[in-house]
Amino acid sequence: MTPVPVDAHDDLLTDRRVLVVEDDPTVREVACSYLVSAGFLVDEAADGVSALRAAARARPDLVVLDRMLPGLDGVEVCRRLRADHGTAVVMLTALGSTEDRITGLEAGADDYLAKPFSPRELVLRVRSVLRRSVGELTPESAFDLGPFRLDPARRVITKRGSELALSVREHDLLAFFLKHPDQAFSRDQLLRSVWRWDFGDLSTVTVHVRRLREKIEDDPTRPTWLTTVWGVGYRFGVT
């Protein structure tokens, strides 16, 4: 299959390595072809065990991961990738329920795409996650807010001097809140501002807020930094 070009190659992402994990050979071939055409270095695997071996060997910048895999399923693979390498993950799912998508996000996926999907959209989603994980060409200066310090050049956020272990989307979400303290944002606004989606599943935001609270709050069940504004959304405040 000859891929339809998405657009010109992104110099910032040139030679970034992507691992495609998909047990359907046709879907895997199409995804790999489009990603290669977009300028990525692409490796592939057909099952969960092979995916973990390939990730340990090739150290990909991002993994495109099917949720339903033989042997070791995509959710468990995602958990291990996040724990072992901190690798960015875009999860593919043929399961339509919100709960199934939430399971993938809670395992650490940065984004998801429902099957059947457009391979052009897959390339755009991969680029979106990678652009954020590799940083901008002219990053902003580091700054402090309460016990938190955001260093955009290094893509590092610390709390009381200790670096927070954040996924790409968790980092983006917390960085957005740190840049806009004491402002209330709806889930729609966060989806547009952080994910750059014009529309999407609002539970994506809910899951990431919950995961973020687990990493920044002393008691996630009684948050003091990232609070809920009932009827509106969320606010990040430093007192």
Side-chain angles (χ1 to χ4, degrees):
M1 178 178 182
T2 302
V4 177
V6 178
D7 52 33
H9 291 188
D10 188 327
D11 290 339
L12 182 63
L13 304 181
T14 298
D15 293 337
R16 295 288 168 178
R17 186 170 293 277
V18 177
L19 171 63
V20 176
V21 186
E22 168 61 63
D23 64 323
D24 185 316
T26 301
V27 175
R28 188 170 68 247
E29 179 184 0
V30 171
C32 289
S33 296
Y34 270 76
L35 289 166
V36 168
S37 181
F40 295 106
L41 301 176
V42 180
D43 300 300
E44 56 185 277
D47 60 73
V49 174
S50 298
L52 293 175
R53 289 173 181 163
R57 180 180 65 253
R59 297 286 179 169
D61 298 287
L62 182 143
V63 177
V64 175
L65 179 63
D66 186 22
R67 189 188 187 285
M68 304 291 287
L69 292 171
L72 200 63
D73 74 4
V75 172
E76 181 58 28
V77 172
C78 184
R79 289 195 182 101
R80 297 190 189 186
L81 287 171
R82 293 294 308 155
D84 295 342
H85 311 297
T87 311
V89 174
V90 173
M91 187 167 283
L92 307 177
T93 176
L95 302 174
S97 75
T98 298
E99 189 58 38
D100 288 317
R101 293 194 293 274
I102 288 175
T103 299
L105 293 169
E106 289 182 329
D110 297 286
D111 205 345
Y112 69 86
L113 199 55
K115 293 182 178 180
F117 60 88
S118 160
R120 288 165 59 87
E121 183 178 2
L122 173 63
V123 171
L124 294 174
R125 293 290 182 95
V126 167
R127 283 178 172 173
S128 173
V129 173
L130 279 177
R131 282 194 192 103
R132 293 171 178 271
S133 67
V134 301
E136 301 295 338
L137 290 174
T138 54
E140 305 163 64
S141 299
F143 68 90
D144 299 297
L145 186 67
F148 299 94
R149 180 173 180 81
L150 169 62
D151 187 341
R154 298 171 55 226
R155 280 191 65 86
V156 169
I157 302 177
T158 59
K159 179 185 177 185
R160 300 189 182 100
S162 298
E163 183 175 345
L164 297 170
L166 304 172
S167 71
V168 174
R169 294 298 190 195
E170 290 166 357
H171 175 97
D172 295 340
L173 184 59
L174 181 53
F176 179 81
F177 279 124
L178 288 170
K179 294 174 184 177
H180 303 87
D182 300 317
Q183 298 181 46
F185 294 96
S186 69
R187 292 187 298 170
D188 274 322
Q189 289 174 313
L190 293 170
L191 205 60
R192 290 194 298 270
S193 298
V194 178
W195 278 259
R196 306 292 175 88
W197 296 356
D198 291 328
F199 59 90
D201 187 346
L202 296 180
S203 64
T204 299
V205 178
T206 306
V207 171
H208 279 81
V209 166
R210 183 164 66 242
R211 281 170 40 191
L212 191 54
R213 282 173 170 164
E214 291 172 355
K215 297 181 178 183
I216 68 172
E217 299 285 355
D218 296 327
D219 180 358
T221 64
R222 302 178 65 183
T224 58
W225 309 109
L226 182 48
T227 57
T228 298
V229 181
W230 297 110
V232 179
Y234 304 102
R235 177 195 295 122
F236 190 89
V238 177
T239 58

